[in-house]
Amino acid sequence: MSRIVYVNGAFVAEEAARISVFDRGFLFADAIYEVVGVVGGKLLDYDGHAARLRRSLDALSLASPLDDADLLALHREIVSRNRLDEGLIYLQISRGAADRDFAYPMKADPTLVLFTQAKAVLANPKVETGIAVVLVPDLRWARRDIKTVQLLYPSMAKMEAARHGADDAWMVEDGLVTEASSANAHIVDRAGTLITRPLSEAILHGITRLSILDIARGMGVAVEERAFSPEEAKDAAEAFITSATSFALPVTRIDGNPVGDGRPGPITRALRQAYIVAKLQTAI
Ligand code: PDD
């Protein structure tokens, strides 16, 4: 089924959408993106994603083609034009088209694209089974706090996971887990403490991570923001990932070994449930 996508000021059928071969997003991955979850046609955690979009733009000295009100209006319009009930909105801004040159062009008009993907984010079947992850070295660049479209290594990591019959990869650097290929990684130790890597340039500052940590603290779960090792993860009572599309999703196998009793843990389940309740209340 053809979607309506947004490209540089116009809503068009996806088959009709066009971008220049000189677009720097295509040639240099000189572009940033955001992913916002949608449930019941409403945007989840929108303010956090809009704020991070600004930070990514600033970090790359990219000019924003939109003010805050237009950005929100575009998100809403793409939902309504596609009658999207549940799924996600993908937004990408590149520096625009210019003759190929590593230096940023003096003048280029940013390219702005939005599209939707329908997806059952609430009734995800993996909630009941959990996902299996494999550990891979983190070979990405060192500014993972900027949400750029340089996603080749995460794609390779996902393929490595698939080769092992797993769902995803957790990346490891200097003997510590950084994050999942497209989500933040967390564990709950046997004492019930949620352990998660602190914010730095080594990981993406997940919007869902932030909300989940707030919710955990509100539920009386102890939260320790420190990096953890693969060994600690394998020995944990629970493990889970967070992202705009997975919310909080249990990880029940790491490198083929069961986490805890091999089933989704109670703290992960409670956090997912509380996250969904809270975010549906504040969805816009
Ligand atoms: N990925 N870490 C990485 C490397 C990510 O790509 C993502 C999100 C996250 C979680 O961030 P948030 O909670 O703000 O979604 C962490 C999106 C969903 C994607 O690329 O599809």
Side-chain angles (χ1 to χ4, degrees), residues 33 35 49 52 140 147 179-184 204-209 242-245:
Y33 76 108
V35 175
H49 289 282
R52 187 176 59 194
R140 297 172 300 164
K147 198 165 169 63
E179 54 188 331
S181 66
S182 60
N184 289 114
L204 185 73
H205 300 190
I207 304 307
T208 320
R209 173 191 177 282
T242 57
S243 75
T245 47

Side-chain angles (χ1 to χ4, degrees), residues 28 62 85 92 100 105 131 142 148 153 160 163 197 208 225 241 252 257:
F28 293 102
L62 272 163
D85 179 51
Q92 179 167 324
R100 186 174 183 275
I131 61 166
T148 75
Y153 187 70
E160 180 66 9
R163 270 192 291 279
R197 191 168 177 124
T208 320
E225 292 194 60
I241 57 168
T252 45
N257 308 302

Side-chain angles (χ1 to χ4, degrees), residues 25 43 47 55 59 76 78 130 154 158 187 202 215 243 256 263 268:
L43 314 171
D47 290 346
R55 289 204 301 279
R76 288 201 162 126
I78 197 129
K158 279 253 204 265
I187 57 172
I215 289 168
S243 75
R263 289 188 303 234
T268 305

Side-chain angles (χ1 to χ4, degrees), residues 132-164:
V133 303
V134 293
L135 299 167
V136 301
D138 195 337
L139 301 181
R140 297 172 300 164
W141 80 328
R143 287 303 306 276
R144 303 159 194 154
D145 56 316
I146 312 172
K147 198 165 169 63
T148 75
V149 302
Q150 293 187 75
L151 296 172
L152 182 55
Y153 187 70
S155 290
M156 291 168 72
K158 279 253 204 265
M159 296 311 292
E160 180 66 9
R163 270 192 291 279
H164 288 88

